[in-house]
C-alpha cells in the first residue's frame, strides 16, 4: 500500500514539475545568443516578445509577438508579423534523446510584399548579403535554404497556418495597385523525406473577392528542390483547374486542364456583353525554375500543347497553339459564327453568319502577325493577313485583304443602310495600316489603298438617269421611273487617309449610260463627287428633243452631263456642274460661230444666211 502511495506521489510530483517547467525554464534569456544569428541569416532586424516551453496540448515551445522588420529602403514598417509560433514535439522519442517535430502552427501571420517604381521587390534583399566567402567542402553539400528543403529536413507531421494575410503593393505600374490575400488557411501533412506530402489551402483575394482553394499532394520529398510528382486541384471561385506535373532538374513540367470555365461565374468584371464558356481546356508546358527576373512572358515557358473550345451562344470556336523559344503560334477555326452570339458590341442592325472561319497567327514579343485569315461571308470569300503591335499607347497594325463573290445587298442591309444601298457581286483588294480599332482612332490613323469592283447590281434609292434628265428639264424622256439605277459594272481605285476615302478613276457602265468620276466619301458618309454621264445615243437624241439646249452638250452623237453629287450617302443631292457644262456650251458656240464666219468669208453663205444661223443657234441654246 505504501509503495502504491509512493508511486502516486512521485507521479504527482513529476506531473507538477512538468506543468511548472514553462515557469521554471526561461528561454528569453537566450535571445541575445540566437537573435544575432537569425538577423544575419535574414538580413533583417527581428523582435521577439516572449518565448517559452509548452506542455499542453503537447510538449514544445511557443514564440509570441514575432516581428521581422522591412528593409529601410522599402518601408519603415514590418515585413512580417506573427501572433505566435507553436512547435510541438513527440514525447516518446524525446525520452530516448531524439527530437521529432509533430506539429508547427503559425497564427495570424501578416506579410507585406512591395514592388518599387523601379521594379525591385523587398523580398529580394532577404538573406545574407555580399559576396560569399570560399569554403572548403567537407563531406556532402548542405542543402539550400528553400522552404521545401527546410520542411523536408524538419520531418514534421503537420504544419498549419491560420488567419494569414499577405499584401502585395505594386508601385511600378502607371496606377499603383494593391492586392490582399486574407483568411489564409494552410495545412501541410506528412513532411518527411521520402514521403508524399498533402497540402490544403484556402484564402480570399481582394479586391476581386475571389475565393481560392488548393488541395492535393506532392512528393516524394527529397533534400534537393525537386518533386517527382505533384497533383493539385485548384478552385478559383466556381472554376476548377487540375494541375499535374513535376519539378525535376530545374524545370517545371505541368499539365493543366479544366472541363468548364464560365465568365459569368468569375468574380471579376470583364468587358463582355454576354457570358462566354470555355470547355475542354488543356495545357502542356515546361518552364525553368525559379523564374528569372525581366524575362518576357512568351519566353517563360515552352508550351507543347494548348487547346480549348470557346462557346459563344450556339457558336463554337476551336483554339489550338504552341509556344517555343518565345515564338507563339495559335490557330482558330469554326464552322459557323453568328454575330448575335459575339460577347462584344458590333455595329450591325441584323445578325450575320460567318462560315468556314479559319485563322493562323504568330506572336513574338509584342508583335502579332496574322499569317492567314479566311472565312465566308455574304456568299463571298474573304482572305486577309497582316500584323499588329501590342503597344501600350494604341495598336499599330498593317494588313491586306481580298474579297471575292461578296453580295453587297445583304451586307449593306445588315449595316442598316435602308434608304440607299448597292446590290451586286463585289470584289476588292485592300492594303491598310493604322492604329487602334475604334472609330475615332480609325478616322485619325487609318490609311490605305485598294481597288473595288461590283458586277451586275442595282443602286437602290436613286435613279441617276432620272436625276440627270430632271436637271435638263427633259422629264418624260423615259417611261421607267423606278427609284433605282441598274448597272453592269462599277469599278474604282480608292485611297484612305484621315477619315476620307478618295475615289479615283470611278467607272460605271449601264445599258443607258456610262459614267466616269472622282471625289471623296467621308467616314461620316459625306459625299463630294464629280461624275460625267454619257447617255446612250438613243437616249441622247430623245433628251435633245425634250430639251433643245442639251444639244450643245452633245459630243460624238451622245449627251455628256457633268454632275455634282453631294450631301450624304443616305441623302445625296445632285446638280449640274455649271462650270464644266458652261465650258462645253461655250465650246459648242465657239465652234458654230467660227464655222459660220468662215463660211461667210469664203462666200459659202450670204449675210442673211449668217443671221439665220445665229437665230438657230440662239433657239437651240434658249429652247425657243
Amino acid at each position: 500500500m505504501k509503495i502504491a502511495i509512493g508511486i502516486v506521489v512521485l507521479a504527482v510530483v513529476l506531473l507538477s514539475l512538468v506543468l511548472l517547467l514553462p515557469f521554471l525554464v526561461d528561454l528569453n534569456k537566450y535571445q541575445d545568443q540566437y537573435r544575432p544569428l537569425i538577423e544575419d541569416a535574414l538580413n533583417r532586424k527581428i523582435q521577439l516578445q516572449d518565448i517559452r516551453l509548452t506542455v499542453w496540448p503537447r510538449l514544445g515551445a511557443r514564440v509570441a509577438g514575432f516581428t521581422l522588420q522591412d528593409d529601410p529602403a522599402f518601408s519603415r514598417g514590418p515585413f512580417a508579423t506573427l501572433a505566435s509560433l507553436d512547435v510541438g514535439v513527440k514525447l516518446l522519442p524525446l525520452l530516448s534523446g531524439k527530437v521529432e517535430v509533430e506539429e508547427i502552427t503559425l497564427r495570424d501571420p501578416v506579410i507585406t510584399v512591395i514592388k518599387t517604381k523601379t521594379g525591385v521587390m523587398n523580398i529580394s534583399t532577404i538573406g545574407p548579403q555580399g559576396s560569399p566567402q570560399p569554403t572548403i567542402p567537407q563531406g556532402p553539400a548542405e542543402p539550400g535554404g528553400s522552404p521545401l528543403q527546410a520542411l523536408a529536413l524538419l520531418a514534421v507531421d503537420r504544419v498549419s497556418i491560420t488567419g494569414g494575410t499577405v499584401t502585395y503593393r505594386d508601385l511600378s505600374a502607371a496606377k499603383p495597385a494593391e492586392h490582399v490575400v486574407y483568411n489564409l488557411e494552410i495545412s501541410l501533412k506528412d513532411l518527411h523525406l521520402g514521403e508524399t506530402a498533402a497540402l490544403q489551402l484556402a484564402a480570399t483575394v481582394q479586391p476581386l473577392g475571389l475565393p481560392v482553394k488548393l488541395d492535393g499532394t506532392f512528393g516524394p520529398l527529397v533534400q534537393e528542390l525537386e518533386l517527382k510528382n505533384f497533383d493539385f486541384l485548384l478552385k478559383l471561385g466556381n472554376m476548377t483547374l487540375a494541375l499535374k506535373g513535376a519539378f525535376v532538374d530545374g524545370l517545371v513540367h505541368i499539365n493543366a486542364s479544366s472541363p468548364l470555365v464560365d465568365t459569368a461565374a468569375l468574380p471579376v468584371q470583364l468587358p463582355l456583353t454576354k457570358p462566354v464558356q470555355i470547355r475542354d481546356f488543356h495545357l502542356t508546358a515546361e518552364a525553368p525554375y525559379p523564374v528569372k527576373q525581366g524575362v518576357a512572358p512568351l519566353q517563360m515557358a515552352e508550351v507543347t500543347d494548348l487547346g480549348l473550345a470557346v462557346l459563344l451562344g450556339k457558336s463554337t470556336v476551336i483554339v489550338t497553339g504552341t509556344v517555343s523559344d518565345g515564338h507563339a503560334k495559335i490557330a482558330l477555326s469554326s464552322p459557323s459564327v453568328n454575330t448575335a452570339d459575339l460577347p462584344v458590341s458590333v455595329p450591325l442592325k441584323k445578325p450575320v453568319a460567318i462560315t468556314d472561319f479559319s485563322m493562323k497567327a504568330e506572336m513574338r514579343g509584342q508583335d502579332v502577325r496574322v499569317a492567314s485569315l479566311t472565312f465566308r461571308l455574304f456568299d463571298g470569300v474573304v482572305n486577309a493577313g497582316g500584323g499588329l503591335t501590342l503597344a501600350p499607347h494604341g495598336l499599330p497594325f498593317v494588313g491586306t485583304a481580298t474579297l471575292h463573290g461578296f453580295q453587297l445587298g445583304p451586307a449593306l442591309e445588315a449595316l442598316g443602310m435602308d434608304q440607299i444601298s448597292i446590290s451586286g457581286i463585289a470584289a476588292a483588294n485592300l492594303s491598310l495600316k493604322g492604329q487602334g480599332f475604334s472609330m475615332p482612332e480609325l478616322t485619325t490613323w487609318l490609311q490605305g489603298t485598294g481597288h473595288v469592283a461590283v458586277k451586275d447590281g442595282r443602286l437602290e434609292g436613286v435613279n441617276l438617269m432620272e436625276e440627270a434628265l430632271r436637271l435638263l428639264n427633259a422629264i418624260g424622256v423615259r417611261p421607267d421611273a423606278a427609284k433605282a439605277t441598274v448597272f453592269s459594272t462599277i469599278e474604282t481605285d480608292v485611297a484612305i487617309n484621315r477619315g476620307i476615302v478618295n475615289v479615283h478613276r470611278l467607272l460605271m457602265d449601264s445599258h443607258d449610260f456610262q459614267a466616269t468620276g472622282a471625289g471623296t466619301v467621308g467616314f461620316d458618309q459625306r459625299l463630294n463627287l464629280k461624275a460625267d454621264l454619257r447617255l446612250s445615243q438613243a437616249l441622247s437624241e430623245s433628251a435633245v428633243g425634250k430639251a433643245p439646249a442639251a444639244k450643245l452638250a452633245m459630243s460624238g452623237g451622245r449627251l455628256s452631263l457633268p454632275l455634282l453629287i453631294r450631301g450624304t450617302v443616305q441623302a445625296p443631292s445632285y446638280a449640274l456642274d455649271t462650270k464644266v457644262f458652261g465650258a462645253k456650251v461655250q465650246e459648242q458656240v465657239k465652234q458654230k460661230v467660227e464655222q459660220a464666219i468662215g463660211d461667210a468669208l469664203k462666200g459659202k453663205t450670204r449675210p442673211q444666211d449668217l443671221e439665220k444661223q445665229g437665230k438657230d443657234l440662239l433657239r437651240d441654246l434658249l429652247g425657243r
Side-chain angles (χ1 to χ4, degrees):
M1 184 65 180
K2 293 181 179 180
I3 296 176
I5 295 174
I7 294 174
V8 171
V9 171
L10 179 60
V12 170
V13 171
L14 290 176
L15 181 60
S16 300
L17 289 175
V18 170
L19 294 175
L20 290 174
L21 275 177
F23 303 97
L24 298 176
V25 180
D26 184 10
L27 298 180
N28 289 293
K29 64 182 181 181
Y30 299 104
Q31 283 197 37
D32 293 338
Q33 299 179 18
Y34 56 72
R35 181 188 294 167
L37 299 176
I38 299 176
E39 290 180 342
D40 289 342
L42 296 177
N43 190 35
R44 291 284 196 279
K45 293 294 183 181
I46 66 170
Q47 295 178 357
L48 294 174
Q49 291 183 358
D50 186 41
I51 180 170
R52 65 177 59 247
L53 292 176
T54 59
V55 295
W56 184 263
R58 60 182 55 83
L59 185 63
R62 170 174 293 178
V63 178
F66 175 83
T67 300
L68 176 64
Q69 295 295 331
D70 203 352
D71 188 331
F74 295 89
S75 75
R76 295 184 178 180
F79 168 75
T81 62
L82 196 65
S84 66
L85 167 64
D86 292 306
V87 179
V89 298
K90 297 179 180 179
L91 179 59
L92 293 179
L94 187 63
L95 295 177
S96 62
K98 184 179 180 182
V99 178
E100 291 187 12
V101 179
E102 184 177 7
E103 184 172 3
I104 299 176
T105 302
L106 294 84
R107 291 185 175 86
D108 303 327
V110 178
I111 301 173
T112 303
V113 180
I114 300 174
K115 185 176 183 181
T116 66
K117 294 182 179 180
T118 58
V120 180
M121 301 179 69
N122 59 349
I123 59 175
S124 63
T125 58
I126 293 179
Q129 303 297 302
S131 302
Q133 299 297 321
T135 58
I136 301 175
Q138 297 179 356
E142 294 294 329
S146 72
L148 180 61
Q149 291 168 300
L151 290 174
L153 292 178
L154 283 174
V156 185
D157 286 350
R158 292 183 301 276
V159 175
S160 61
I161 298 176
T162 62
T165 301
V166 179
T167 301
Y168 173 69
R169 296 194 186 106
D170 187 357
L171 305 179
S172 64
K175 184 179 180 180
E178 180 174 295
H179 300 275
V180 180
V181 178
Y182 70 100
N183 291 339
L184 178 62
E185 305 287 334
I186 298 177
S187 174
L188 288 160
K189 295 181 179 180
D190 300 327
L191 294 174
H192 300 274
L193 289 176
E195 294 188 11
T196 297
L199 168 65
Q200 288 183 328
L201 179 149
T204 303
V205 179
Q206 291 287 27
L208 304 177
L210 178 66
V212 178
K213 291 185 178 181
L214 183 67
D215 192 354
T217 59
F218 59 95
L221 299 181
V222 294
Q223 292 188 9
E224 297 78 15
L225 183 56
E226 286 193 354
L227 288 176
K228 293 184 179 180
N229 179 64
F230 63 84
D231 188 349
F232 294 112
L233 194 64
L234 174 64
K235 291 186 177 181
L236 302 173
N238 292 329
M239 182 183 72
T240 302
L241 184 66
L243 302 171
K244 297 181 180 181
F247 290 80
V248 180
D249 297 331
L251 291 176
V252 179
H253 306 270
I254 186 168
N255 291 291
S257 62
S258 178
L260 174 65
V261 177
D262 194 332
T263 59
L266 295 178
V268 59
Q269 186 69 32
L270 298 177
L272 303 176
T273 58
K274 58 186 66 176
V276 173
Q277 288 188 343
I278 298 175
R279 291 186 179 274
D280 302 327
F281 168 79
H282 58 274
L283 170 75
T284 302
E286 180 181 280
Y289 184 83
V291 179
K292 296 181 180 179
Q293 294 292 329
V295 177
L298 291 180
Q299 294 180 336
M300 290 183 177
E302 299 282 311
V303 179
T304 57
D305 180 31
L306 169 65
L308 57 111
V310 181
L311 274 64
L312 307 171
K314 296 181 180 179
S315 306
T316 302
V317 179
I318 304 299
V319 181
T320 59
T322 60
V323 179
S324 178
D325 193 24
H327 185 195
K329 295 181 179 181
I330 189 169
L332 289 78
S333 63
S334 176
S336 178
V337 176
N338 195 297
T339 57
D341 296 329
L342 295 179
V344 294
S345 298
V346 292
L348 298 175
K349 300 297 183 181
K350 295 183 178 181
V352 172
I354 300 172
T355 60
D356 299 335
F357 174 82
S358 175
M359 185 181 77
K360 293 182 178 180
E362 301 177 4
M363 181 176 179
R364 188 183 293 273
Q366 292 185 322
D367 296 326
V368 180
R369 185 176 71 89
V370 179
S372 65
L373 171 63
T374 63
F375 55 89
R376 296 187 65 85
L377 181 64
F378 299 117
D379 297 334
V381 178
V382 179
N383 293 279
L388 172 71
T389 300
L390 302 177
H393 304 291
L395 297 170
F397 66 87
V398 295
T400 59
T402 60
L403 294 81
H404 298 285
F406 197 76
Q407 292 287 347
L408 268 183
L412 296 179
E413 184 179 355
L415 290 171
M417 300 181 65
D418 51 1
Q419 298 181 27
I420 294 179
S421 64
I422 303 176
S423 63
I425 302 174
N429 295 294
L430 300 172
S431 179
L432 303 170
K433 66 178 181 179
Q435 180 172 310
F437 295 96
S438 67
M439 185 54 67
E441 290 174 319
L442 292 175
T443 301
T444 302
W445 300 107
L446 184 62
Q447 296 180 348
T449 58
H451 183 80
V452 180
V454 184
K455 304 290 186 182
D456 303 325
R458 289 167 61 93
L459 182 60
E460 302 288 348
V462 61
N463 189 321
L464 285 178
M465 287 302 308
E466 181 183 353
E467 297 293 341
L469 295 173
R470 179 181 59 81
L471 293 173
L472 290 174
N473 292 320
I475 303 300
V477 172
R478 292 184 59 192
D480 182 11
K483 204 66 173 177
T485 300
V486 180
F487 61 87
S488 57
T489 302
I490 293 180
E491 195 167 356
T492 185
D493 293 329
V494 296
I496 304 170
N497 187 33
R498 293 189 176 273
I500 300 295
V501 180
N502 295 280
V503 179
H504 305 293
R505 294 186 293 274
L506 173 64
L507 304 174
M508 186 174 183
D509 194 6
S510 176
H511 178 268
D512 294 323
F513 69 90
Q514 287 79 43
T516 59
T520 62
V521 180
F523 284 12
D524 57 1
Q525 298 193 6
R526 293 189 176 275
L527 297 174
N528 187 8
L529 297 172
K530 293 183 178 181
D532 189 17
L533 268 67
R534 288 178 55 83
L535 277 60
S536 66
Q537 186 172 357
L539 201 56
S540 297
E541 293 174 355
S542 179
V544 168
K546 293 289 184 179
K551 186 176 182 181
L552 297 177
M554 293 284 285
S555 176
R558 299 180 64 178
L559 185 60
S560 179
L561 298 178
L563 293 181
L564 294 176
I565 306 176
R566 292 173 178 166
T568 65
V569 173
Q570 292 300 301
S573 63
Y574 307 90
L576 279 175
D577 190 338
T578 55
K579 184 177 180 180
V580 176
F581 189 73
K584 289 186 177 183
V585 172
Q586 185 179 7
E587 182 65 26
Q588 290 284 344
V589 172
K590 180 181 178 181
Q591 291 178 2
K592 289 182 179 295
V593 170
E594 288 177 350
Q595 181 180 358
I597 294 175
D599 291 343
L601 292 176
K602 293 178 182 179
K604 294 182 179 181
T605 60
R606 295 172 299 175
Q608 56 270 31
D609 295 333
L610 184 60
E611 181 182 358
K612 182 177 182 301
Q613 290 180 1
K615 291 180 179 180
D616 293 340
L617 179 60
L618 290 174
R619 186 181 300 110
D620 290 343
L621 180 61
L622 301 176
R624 67 177 187 269

